[in-house]
Amino acid sequence: MDLDFFLQQLINGITLGGLYALIALGYTMVYGIIQLINFAHGEFFAAGGYMGVILISYLASQGLHPYVCLGISLVLAMGYCALLAMAVERLAYKPLRQASRLAALLSALGMSIFLQNGLMLTQGVYDKAYPTEITSGGFQLGTISVSYMQIFIVGLTAALLVGLNLLVFKTRIGRAMRATSQDKIMSALVGINSNRIIAITFAVGAALAAAAGIMVGLYYGSVNYSMGFVPGIKAFAAAVLGGIGNITGALVGGLIIGMVEIFAAGYISGEYKDVFAFIILIGVLYFKPTGIMGENVDDTRV
Amino acid sequence: MKRLLVLVVALAALGLLLAGCGGEEKAEGKVLKIGTMSPLTGPYAADGNDIRQGAEIAVEVFTEAGGIEGFTKIEVFPQDTACDPKQAVAAANKLINEKVTGVVGAYCSSSTIPASETLAEENIIMLTPASTSPKVTERGLPYMFRTCGRDDHQAPAAVKFMKDVEGVKTIFIVDDKTTYSQGLAEGVAAAAVAAGIEVLEHDHVNQGDKDYSAVLTKVKSANPDLLYISLQNSATGALMVIQAKRLGITAILMGQDAVYHPKLMEIAKGDSEGMFCTFGAIDKDAPKYKEFQTKYKEKTGNEPGAYSAYSFDSATAYLMAVKAAGTTDPVKVREELMKLDFTGASKQVKYQENGDSGSNYTVYMIKDGQFVPYWNSLTGEKY
C-alpha cells in the first residue's frame, strides 16, 4: 500500500501511543517507588474521563467558550483524580505496606473492581457523549486527515511529559521521590516523609491518567464505565515494555504498543492487533526482562 | 473497638442473608414468576437494560389491567447474562431455582442458545426478544419462541437495499467476531457476492475496541461505495461512525440491528446523519406503540431502546397465554401461545410452528437525529 496510507497510520499510531504513554507513566511511577502494580490505575483514567464529560457539559451549559471549558475541566479533573488516588492509597495500600506484595496486589485488584462498579452505579451503564463542538474539526494534508484532537493529544502529552520530568529531576519533591524509590528507610532517616512522597506519587500518576481519560473522551467522542480496563492493561504492558520504573521507558513503551497495534491492524487485520502488541511484550520480557530502558530493580531494596 | 465493629458488621451481613432466605419461603404460593435474561453489565448493558425494562413494563401494564385470575401477583426476576454463555447457563439455573415458568431473553444468540437448552430440560418457556441467529429456533426445542427477526432474512434485505436502491458496486465489511455479528457479516458477504456486488475486504476488530483508526484508514484507501458495520453494540458503532467521518470517509455507512439504538445518535450526533440501519419495522405512530412509549418514559425517563418493544411484546405474549390457559403448565401455555395473534407494540405477533414470528426488516435512515423508515424490504419500496 502507498505512502499516504503509511503516513495516516503513523499519525493514528502516534496518537494512540501517546495516550498509552500517559497512562503508563502512572504505573511506572508507582511501581518505581513502592514496587506495586497498581491495577486500579485504569480506573483513575476512567474516572478522569467521566469527570471531564460532567464538567465540560456543565461549563458549556453556562455559556463558556468550549476551549475555556476544556481547560478548566482538565485542571479540575486532574485534581479530582489526584485526590481520589491519594484516598485509595491511604485506604487500600498504606495499611498493607509491610504485608506481602501479593496482599497489596490483591488489594489493588479489589480496588479496581470496586471503583469500576462504583462508576457504573453512579454514572449508569450507558456511554456518555462529549460535546461535539470541541471534539470535531481538523484539516487535510493531501489525502491525509489530521484532527485537531490528535494534535491536542500529542501536544498535551509532550507538555505533561516535560512537566513531569521537571518535577522529578528539578524539584525538591522530585529528589525526595527518587531517594524514596532507592531506599525508603534511608531516605526517612535523612528526614524525608516517605508516606507523603508516596501519596504525591500516586496523585501525580492519577492526574496524568485523568488527563488521558479526558483526551480519550474527546478523541473518541464518549466515555464508558468499563473504559479503564483494556487501556489499563495496554498501558501496563507499555510500562513493562519500556522498563517498569523508568519514565522515558513508559513513553517509549507506550509509543511502541500504539504503533504496533495500529500497523498490525492496518497491514494485517484488526483482529490481530492485540496479539502483536503482546507478542512484542513477551519477546522483550524473554530477551531483556528489564524492558527496553529499564535497569535492574533490586527486589531486596524495598 | 475495631474488632467489635467488624463483628457487628459481619453479624449484620449474616442477618441480611438469613432474612433473604426467609423472605423467599413466604413468597411461595399463587405468584406467577417470570424471568428475564439479558446483559445488565458489560458493553451490552444498554440493550440488556432495555430488555429488562420492557418486560417489567409489560408486567406492570398487565397487573394494572387486572392481572391474571388465580394469581395474586406477577413477579419479575431479572438476571444478568453479560452476553457470556457460561453466565447465561448459570442465570438459567438460578431462574429454575426460583421456579419461574417463563423467561424473556436472552440478548446475544451465543447466550440464548445454551441457556435455552438448560431451560428446556425443565420445560420452561423462553421467548427471545433480540437473538436473531437462525440456530435459535432451528434446534426443534418446543418451548423456544422468538419475537424479533432472523439474520438470514436481515442479510439479504440489506444487500437488496444496497443493490436496488443505492446502486452499490463495492462494499467493505467490518465485524467484531461475536457469533451474531460475524455470522450476519458473513451472510451479507455471501449475499453480496451472489448479487454481483464486490466485497473489497471483510475485516474484523475486537469487541470493546475504541480505536478504529487503523481499519478505517484501510477503508479509506480501499474507497468502497458502502461500509457495512456489523458490531454487537451501538456505542462502539457510534465510535466507528465518528472516526470514519473524521478520517474523511465518504462511503455510505450502513449498520444492522445491534447498532440500531437511540444511543448511536446521542453519541455520534451529526456524524451519524444519513447513515442506514436495518431493523424490524416498528410503527412508531401506532397507538399500541405510543401507549407503550408513554409508559416506558414515565417509568425509566428514557425513550424505549431498540429491543424494548420486542421485550414488552414477548412478556405480554407469555402473560396472555398463561391467562388464557389459566395455568402455567407448559404444554397448555404453548398451545395458547400458538393461538395468539395480537397487535403488539413492535408488530403483529403470530408465532409459527418453529417458534419464529417472521421478519419484517426495514431500512432506516438517520435524519435530524431520528431513525426514519426509509425502505421496506417486504414490498421493495421507499416509504
Side-chain angles (χ1 to χ4, degrees), chain A residues 32-33 176-185 187 298 301-302:
Chain A
I33 204 154
M177 276 180 184
R178 283 178 289 140
T180 311
S181 80
Q182 280 189 1
D183 193 323
K184 259 197 280 304
I185 296 168
S187 55
D298 188 354
R301 216 165 50 191
V302 180

Side-chain angles (χ1 to χ4, degrees), chain A residues 26-253:
Chain A
Y27 271 109
T28 253
M29 290 172 66
V30 167
Y31 185 85
I33 204 154
I34 51 170
Q35 277 76 45
L36 166 76
I37 294 162
N38 179 17
F39 277 111
H41 192 67
E43 267 52 63
F44 298 148
F45 158 79
Y50 263 103
M51 210 58 197
V53 72
I54 293 165
L55 290 169
I56 290 177
S57 306
Y58 172 73
L59 292 172
S61 73
Q62 303 296 307
L64 286 171
H65 187 273
Y67 291 110
V68 179
C69 300
L70 175 58
I72 298 173
S73 310
L74 193 64
V75 172
L76 289 179
M78 285 172 77
Y80 165 76
C81 282
L83 289 176
L84 179 68
M86 282 159 89
V88 165
E89 195 271 336
R90 181 72 191 75
L91 280 172
Y93 305 143
K94 192 171 170 233
L96 296 171
R97 206 162 289 149
Q98 306 307 325
S100 79
R101 274 212 215 162
L102 188 62
L105 195 70
L106 288 176
S107 181
L109 275 174
M111 216 29 170
S112 163
I113 295 168
F114 173 77
L115 289 175
Q116 193 182 116
N117 281 281
L119 260 186
M120 183 183 88
L121 291 171
T122 54
Q123 300 300 320
V125 293
Y126 297 108
D127 280 41
K128 266 204 162 71
Y130 269 74
T132 33
E133 308 85 77
I134 312 181
T135 59
S136 57
F139 56 87
Q140 298 276 329
L141 287 172
T143 60
I144 304 165
S145 322
V146 183
S147 68
Y148 295 136
M149 269 303 115
Q150 286 175 315
I151 295 174
F152 176 69
I153 288 171
V154 173
L156 188 63
T157 305
L160 288 172
L161 213 75
V162 170
L164 183 66
N165 259 302
L166 289 177
L167 175 76
V168 172
F169 293 105
K170 300 280 184 223
T171 63
R172 279 177 68 90
I173 290 176
R175 200 189 307 153
M177 276 180 184
R178 283 178 289 140
T180 311
S181 80
Q182 280 189 1
D183 193 323
K184 259 197 280 304
I185 296 168
M186 284 309 285
S187 55
L189 283 177
V190 296
I192 294 171
N193 180 348
S194 64
N195 279 334
R196 200 175 66 113
I197 295 300
I198 290 168
I200 291 173
T201 309
F202 266 88
V204 172
L208 295 174
I214 290 193
M215 285 192 277
V216 159
L218 288 169
Y219 185 42
Y220 299 133
S222 70
V223 289
N224 182 286
Y225 73 93
S226 63
M227 69 188 267
F229 182 69
V230 174
I233 297 280
K234 297 268 172 66
F236 169 59
V240 174
L241 180 61
I244 195 155
N246 185 309
I247 290 174
T248 324
L251 175 70
V252 173

Side-chain angles (χ1 to χ4, degrees), chain B residues 43-359:
Chain B
Y44 315 119
D47 280 314
N49 281 295
D50 293 341
I51 289 171
R52 194 198 80 217
Q53 285 162 354
E56 283 172 352
I57 286 165
V59 168
E60 212 169 276
V61 168
F62 222 81
T63 310
E64 274 169 24
I68 299 174
E69 209 177 312
F71 295 94
T72 48
K73 205 177 150 202
I74 309 169
E75 228 177 309
V76 184
F77 293 87
Q79 290 292 328
D80 183 12
T81 59
C83 194
D84 171 52
K86 288 191 292 295
Q87 204 166 325
V89 171
N93 280 316
K94 237 177 175 173
L95 290 174
I96 290 170
N97 288 338
E98 293 285 358
K99 300 200 167 39
V100 303
T101 52
V103 173
V104 174
Y107 170 68
C108 297
S109 296
S110 50
S111 302
T112 309
I113 292 169
S116 66
E117 276 161 22
T118 308
L119 294 173
E121 286 169 21
E122 302 291 327
N123 296 329
I124 293 172
I125 291 176
M126 186 178 199
L127 307 99
T128 178
S131 298
T132 51
S133 166
K135 281 197 199 108
V136 169
T137 49
E138 271 172 9
R139 293 161 302 149
L141 293 178
Y143 301 122
M144 181 81 232
F145 293 88
R146 161 157 50 200
T147 317
C148 58
R150 286 167 63 117
D151 286 342
D152 50 356
H153 297 151
Q154 180 168 203
V159 171
K160 190 157 180 275
F161 170 76
M162 292 174 198
K163 193 176 156 71
D164 294 357
V165 184
E166 296 295 315
V168 165
K169 293 195 176 58
T170 54
I171 60 170
F172 194 116
I173 302 175
V174 181
D175 72 55
D176 63 2
K177 296 194 296 177
T178 56
T179 311
Y180 153 77
S181 74
Q182 194 170 358
L184 178 61
E186 276 161 9
V188 168
V193 171
I197 295 174
E198 192 190 346
V199 180
L200 295 177
E201 206 169 326
H202 181 175
D203 208 338
H204 313 275
V205 294
N206 296 315
Q207 274 186 75
D209 274 355
K210 276 197 178 276
D211 190 292
Y212 300 113
S213 56
V215 79
L216 289 170
T217 302
K218 260 167 141 173
V219 173
K220 195 181 172 189
S221 76
N223 196 20
D225 292 340
L226 184 142
L227 169 62
Y228 190 76
I229 300 172
S230 182
L231 301 177
Q232 180 87 60
N233 179 335
S234 58
T236 50
L239 294 182
M240 192 173 267
V241 170
I242 295 172
Q243 292 174 38
K245 285 281 147 108
R246 215 174 274 173
L247 262 178
I249 289 172
T250 50
I252 301 166
L253 301 178
M254 185 164 188
Q256 24 72 319
D257 57 323
V259 175
Y260 176 99
H261 195 282
K263 288 277 160 192
L264 175 75
M265 290 84 95
E266 200 175 293
I267 296 167
K269 302 194 183 80
D271 289 336
S272 63
E273 285 292 301
M275 180 184 178
F276 295 108
C277 278
T278 40
F279 197 81
I282 290 180
D283 181 5
K284 295 198 167 153
D285 295 322
K288 198 80 184 159
Y289 183 84
K290 287 260 181 235
E291 215 175 277
F292 162 69
Q293 188 184 28
T294 319
K295 190 89 195 160
Y296 195 93
K297 261 184 166 162
E298 212 173 89
K299 182 161 189 249
T300 66
N302 278 324
E303 281 290 322
Y307 290 103
S308 306
Y310 283 124
S311 171
F312 176 81
D313 285 350
S314 303
T316 306
Y318 180 73
L319 295 172
M320 284 168 79
V322 171
K323 190 170 185 175
T327 166
T328 54
D329 179 55
V331 180
K332 292 203 179 113
V333 175
R334 186 190 142 86
E335 257 170 44
E336 293 300 329
L337 270 171
M338 298 306 293
K339 278 190 224 158
L340 284 181
D341 190 355
F342 71 100
T343 314
S346 62
K347 62 177 182 185
Q348 189 68 22
V349 179
K350 170 99 189 79
Y351 293 107
Q352 302 156 9
E353 196 44 49
N354 69 352
D356 271 332
S357 60
S359 304

